[in-house]
Amino acid sequence: MSTTYSRLFEPIELGPVTVPNRIFQPPHGNAYGLGQQQTDFRAEKARGGFGLIVQEYSQIDETTDVTPVDSGYLHDDETIPPQKRMVDAVHAHGSKLFVELWHGGATAGNYGSRQPPLTSSQRPTGRNYTPKAMEREDIRTVLDAFGDAADRARRAGYDGIELHAAHGYLISQFLSPFYNDRDDEFGGSLESRMRFFEDAIERVRDNVSADMAVGARYTIDERVDGGLTADGDGIEVMRRLSDDLDFWDVDIGIKQSIDDMIGPSRRHEKNYQMDYLKAATRELDVPVGGAGRITDPDDAAALLEENYVDMIGMARQSISDPHWPRKVKDGDVDRIRECIGCNICVSQSRQGIPLVCTQNPTVGREGDWPPETYEDAADPKGVLVVGGGPAGMEFARVMGERGHLVHLKERDDRLGGRVTFEAGLPELGEWNRVRDWRAAELDRLETVSVHTGPRAEMSYDDVRTYGAELVVIATGAEWDETGTTSSSHQPVPGWERDHVLTPTDAIATDLSGQTIVIFDEEGYNVSAGVAQSLAADNRVIFVTPRASAFQETLHTFERRTIFTALYDLGVEFVANHTLEEVRDDEVVASNVYSGDRRSYEADAVVFTTMRESNDDLYRSLKADAESLRSSTEIESIHAVGDCVAPRRIADAVYAGHELAREL
Ligand SMILES: Cc1cc2nc3c(=O)[nH]c(=O)nc-3n(C[C@H](O)[C@H](O)[C@H](O)COP(=O)(O)O)c2cc1C
Ligand code: SF4
């Protein structure tokens, strides 16, 4: 290991617990529940060298519930045995496992338990319920529940407790003047607002063993007007409570500013939370950990060296590459699969859909697909892969790892396919890591040769005569030119006019000083990126049949930054409208509910409605599969990725990986 990184691997004492290094996974949910999948997932990070793992937010009793997310629980004794197994699995690799005790307060709708959501003060939630301001007996009940949950955590064998006092959940709803306007001993002055937190710490301390650490997840800056700030009460709370805690796991942002809490790479620089934390780290004797788009080992080492934090937290990076610490230690820094900050992970888990990752297709399948471990091919084959986008690259990589002899053909001058296009859109540059990591791995593999450029284009006859035994077609998808939507299933009349463009054409064309109508049903990164790109030099009118633009970015937390950027550029939005017709210099749009029609001036029109598979080559080969098998070396023909069904990049990578594991 380079001495540069040695500080990362120094042990650190969190009260009575010695953590073997300073690299930890802050709590993060995954909607995997408490079964074997959860155990395998956390144990993989321990195997990959994370010194401390904090199991996700775990419900302490029935007055709060995680519905619809199958998440962490400590509300009854039945939750103990599976967590005991998880603790043992993590300990087997020498790492420590803490658990985060969570009460959601106003933020938990309690749709499962049907109990009234409880909080410090009755304030709007922006949803279809308003919570109850807790009476004194509610407060006693919940404080007791913190104690009982800590007792269960002790019995499960956890090494420590992290109280969830962050993100606008119950404890932070007491701490924060943004939520708390009580006038009793639990509200008003800072001292009174801290009382609930202090009492919760006491209850937890009363129920853990002397060898367990007790710390807190804490939001030092809430990033809302009227909330805690890092240079005000935010740090003051830490000053006053540091004698009671063994560590702090500090971050920024609450529900109302969630895009700052789990910042996407769009407008959130690497290490973006560190400036909020450094004063506390430098002033307090208690260790402070922090996270926020830390992915680079040099940065991580420097952040420790310069006392920004005492421990490096990586939630998303630990998902994207659970072997980050081991790779740093082994000198394999170049092989780290860096997170791209797309937030596909959290967009799924927060809706109760099991977590997946764009960069790491093995996530959630660690039991049967151990990351970085591949089964040697019993009978290595000659494999031809046509198409070097995310699915083709991932497939070729895993087949190469398994010992097959792979030729990867990409007709463009470089690998990447759609990733290269999408990462070229404004503010998505880090998405290129999907391509670049795979390109570097392919380069390293002696079993794989990559051919790019026009001469690598493969026709039916080229494939037929190539001599490969396995043929995999990964030719991706193209944007539809006709503007067909889910509700019309018909081309927009006038779609064939010259000034109607696909997103790729629009970016490749020199457009300026024009009025451009974008007709969108994608609602995600391509329409946002094309709009942002074009709006720099044109007037852009964004028409969508959806109730709002960019609905697919609601849970990736990119919505605010996208809308901010586009409003700054003067983009005009026309929601709930479909396109009836494209004319020479205008379009006709109609309201999807009232049917009212209106014309908009348009020098150019861009459709970001749907993509269609490029599957002609695959289908023609497949149609002749029998004769090809008898007349050539070809044994089987497969299609993979967008060539089968155009979906997210994450799905293309997964499909490539899955096929290569299973062939
Ligand atoms: C999928 C996902 C789930 C999360 N769940 C939790 C959670 O259960 N409790 C919590 O305190 N923070 C949670 N977080 C926030 C992370 O702990 C972390 O603060 C945030 O992701 C920023 O760190 P990162 O850039 O290293 O990901 C979650 C983050 C992600 C990506
Ligand atoms: S889904 Fe995206 S943001 Fe989440 S860990 Fe994977 S690469 Fe990072």
Side-chain angles (χ1 to χ4, degrees):
M1 185 198 4
S2 150
T3 49
T4 324
Y5 303 125
S6 54
R7 193 146 160 66
L8 285 165
F9 295 94
E10 285 173 7
I12 182 165
E13 285 177 11
L14 308 182
V17 175
T18 304
V19 176
N21 60 44
R22 286 162 184 260
I23 311 164
F24 79 107
Q25 176 235 278
H28 79 76
N30 51 25
Y32 293 167
L34 284 181
Q36 193 58 39
Q37 188 183 24
Q38 185 71 266
T39 294
D40 293 342
F41 177 78
R42 304 293 171 189
E44 193 61 44
K45 302 195 194 199
R47 186 165 85 94
F50 280 83
L52 168 65
I53 292 143
V54 188
Q55 162 65 355
E56 66 203 28
Y57 71 124
S58 299
Q59 165 186 339
I60 58 165
D61 77 349
E62 297 281 359
T63 63
T64 188
D65 84 34
V66 292
T67 314
V69 184
D70 190 8
S71 190
Y73 311 90
L74 273 167
H75 62 288
D76 66 28
D77 285 2
E78 281 177 24
T79 66
I80 296 174
Q83 299 191 70
K84 221 172 175 17
R85 287 192 284 277
M86 177 164 52
V87 170
D88 291 344
V90 167
H91 283 175
H93 298 287
S95 304
K96 302 293 179 189
L97 187 64
F98 293 179
V99 63
E100 185 180 47
L101 299 192
W102 174 85
H103 192 295
T107 311
N110 291 356
Y111 294 114
S113 68
R114 307 204 60 184
Q115 301 304 305
L118 301 175
T119 184
S120 52
S121 308
Q122 199 164 51
R123 293 277 176 99
T125 60
R127 294 165 72 187
N128 57 0
Y129 67 87
T130 308
K132 174 187 177 188
M134 289 165 83
E135 299 177 60
R136 284 204 175 73
E137 51 262 51
D138 295 322
I139 290 177
R140 267 196 302 278
T141 303
V142 173
L143 288 172
D144 287 348
F146 271 108
D148 293 345
D151 176 61
R152 289 186 200 102
R154 178 185 57 75
R155 286 189 275 147
Y158 280 109
D159 302 294
I161 300 287
E162 187 164 307
L163 271 156
H164 205 323
H167 304 170
Y169 292 126
L170 184 61
I171 296 178
S172 90
Q173 286 159 18
F174 273 94
L175 284 172
S176 171
F178 179 73
Y179 289 102
N180 185 346
D181 64 359
R182 297 175 76 98
D183 54 10
D184 62 3
E185 69 272 32
F186 291 98
S189 66
L190 177 61
E191 191 183 356
S192 300
R193 282 186 277 119
M194 283 171 47
R195 181 155 293 120
F196 183 81
F197 188 16
E198 284 178 292
D199 289 353
I201 295 171
E202 197 181 305
R203 293 294 208 290
V204 167
R205 284 262 180 228
D206 288 347
N207 283 281
V208 296
S209 50
D211 59 355
M212 286 174 74
V214 177
R217 190 94 219 252
Y218 174 65
T219 302
I220 194 168
D221 199 305
E222 297 186 316
R223 307 279 296 142
V224 290
D225 290 342
L228 298 175
T229 57
D231 55 2
D233 281 355
I235 191 167
E236 188 56 30
V237 169
M238 294 178 72
R239 287 189 186 113
R240 295 190 190 186
L241 289 180
S242 281
D243 285 347
D244 300 334
L245 293 170
D246 298 320
F247 69 96
W248 290 97
D249 177 3
V250 183
D251 70 352
I252 64 169
I254 57 175
K255 290 293 148 192
Q256 286 76 359
S257 50
I258 198 162
D259 53 336
D260 285 336
M261 185 205 305
I262 308 178
S265 53
R266 203 188 274 280
R267 294 212 176 169
H268 287 84
E269 298 291 324
K270 60 181 189 166
N271 318 322
Y272 73 96
Q273 301 196 17
M274 291 296 117
D275 282 335
Y276 293 89
L277 273 54
K278 66 180 179 204
T281 306
R282 290 169 192 182
E283 181 182 327
L284 304 174
D285 292 334
V286 181
V288 174
R293 304 214 58 244
I294 304 172
T295 62
D296 178 76
D298 292 328
D299 289 347
L303 291 167
L304 286 181
E305 212 55 60
E306 293 165 26
N307 289 324
Y308 277 80
V309 281
D310 301 304
M311 294 185 292
I312 296 294
M314 290 184 281
R316 284 168 291 177
Q317 182 55 51
S318 72
I319 298 169
S320 178
D321 192 341
H323 288 236
W324 190 98
R326 180 184 61 71
K327 288 178 182 175
V328 175
K329 203 168 190 175
D330 291 352
D332 280 338
V333 166
D334 293 345
R335 299 197 59 196
I336 289 172
R337 196 171 42 242
E338 273 184 283
C339 165
I340 68 169
C342 63
N343 279 357
I344 288 297
C345 48
V346 68
S347 75
Q348 291 215 168
S349 62
R350 77 186 306 251
Q351 297 183 80
I353 308 166
L355 178 143
V356 299
C357 172
T358 302
Q359 275 283 57
N360 178 8
T362 63
V363 115
R365 299 206 53 179
E366 291 79 4
D368 49 353
W369 292 353
E372 323 286 331
T373 310
Y374 305 95
E375 194 184 330
D376 284 343
D379 176 19
K381 303 278 185 194
V383 183
L384 172 64
V385 185
V386 183
M393 291 176 85
E394 180 67 6
F395 174 79
R397 182 187 77 77
V398 177
M399 290 299 268
E401 289 280 8
R402 296 189 56 201
H404 292 287
L405 297 172
V406 184
H407 284 194
L408 172 60
K409 304 279 181 180
E410 168 54 53
R411 69 178 178 185
D412 283 348
D413 288 335
R414 65 183 310 177
L415 292 172
R418 63 179 287 193
V419 171
T420 304
F421 171 67
E422 292 176 34
L425 296 171
E427 306 186 35
L428 293 184
E430 288 190 27
W431 291 29
N432 271 324
R433 290 172 178 174
V434 174
R435 177 195 67 204
D436 295 344
W437 181 79
R438 286 175 176 78
E441 289 290 303
L442 290 170
D443 206 29
R444 190 185 54 77
L445 283 163
E446 288 174 4
T447 44
V448 180
S449 47
V450 175
H451 310 126
T452 56
R455 289 175 59 195
E457 177 150 15
M458 301 297 284
S459 66
Y460 177 98
D461 279 336
D462 294 332
V463 175
R464 185 174 60 80
T465 56
Y466 200 81
E469 293 156 293
L470 299 182
V471 171
V472 172
I473 308 299
T475 40
E478 305 252 313
W479 284 93
D480 170 53
E481 297 175 352
T482 68
T484 300
T485 63
S486 61
S487 50
S488 72
H489 284 203
Q490 293 294 329
V492 175
W495 68 269
E496 65 283 10
R497 290 175 194 272
D498 288 345
H499 65 296
V500 178
L501 305 168
T502 63
T504 36
D505 293 339
I507 293 296
T509 308
D510 186 13
L511 294 167
S512 62
Q514 306 207 10
T515 298
I516 301 172
V517 169
I518 295 177
F519 180 48
D520 176 57
E521 210 185 27
E522 182 226 25
Y524 188 42
N525 61 324
V526 170
S527 52
V530 169
Q532 192 169 341
S533 223
L534 297 179
D537 297 315
N538 300 280
R539 175 184 175 210
V540 170
I541 304 169
F542 194 99
V543 180
T544 177
R546 292 182 162 200
S548 164
F550 315 123
Q551 288 193 356
E552 301 298 326
T553 62
L554 177 62
H555 297 289
T556 61
F557 312 140
E558 292 167 291
R559 222 173 176 203
R560 183 167 66 154
T561 51
I562 290 172
F563 271 115
T564 305
L566 296 187
Y567 278 124
D568 279 353
L569 289 165
V571 173
E572 298 152 55
F573 291 96
V574 184
N576 290 325
H577 277 70
T578 191
L579 227 54
E580 293 286 336
E581 188 182 352
V582 178
R583 297 180 180 157
D584 274 345
D585 49 13
E586 65 175 13
V587 297
V588 180
S590 71
N591 185 299
V592 293
Y593 299 114
S594 69
D596 289 350
R597 292 158 69 98
R598 214 186 129 180
S599 299
Y600 295 90
E601 176 191 341
D603 302 315
V605 178
V606 183
F607 290 148
T608 52
T609 43
M610 69 175 279
R611 290 183 304 136
E612 291 177 308
S613 296
N614 276 332
D615 58 1
D616 290 351
L617 178 61
Y618 167 70
R619 286 183 186 273
S620 55
L621 289 163
K622 197 66 195 278
D624 296 345
E626 278 307 313
S627 65
L628 288 169
R629 259 197 291 274
S630 55
S631 61
T632 71
E633 292 85 350
I634 295 174
E635 294 172 8
S636 62
I637 301 161
H638 309 266
V640 71
D642 290 351
C643 168
V644 177
R647 295 181 287 163
R648 300 168 303 184
I649 295 171
D651 303 308
V653 171
Y654 179 86
H657 193 96
E658 181 180 46
L659 185 63
R661 288 263 188 186
E662 290 178 358
L663 270 181

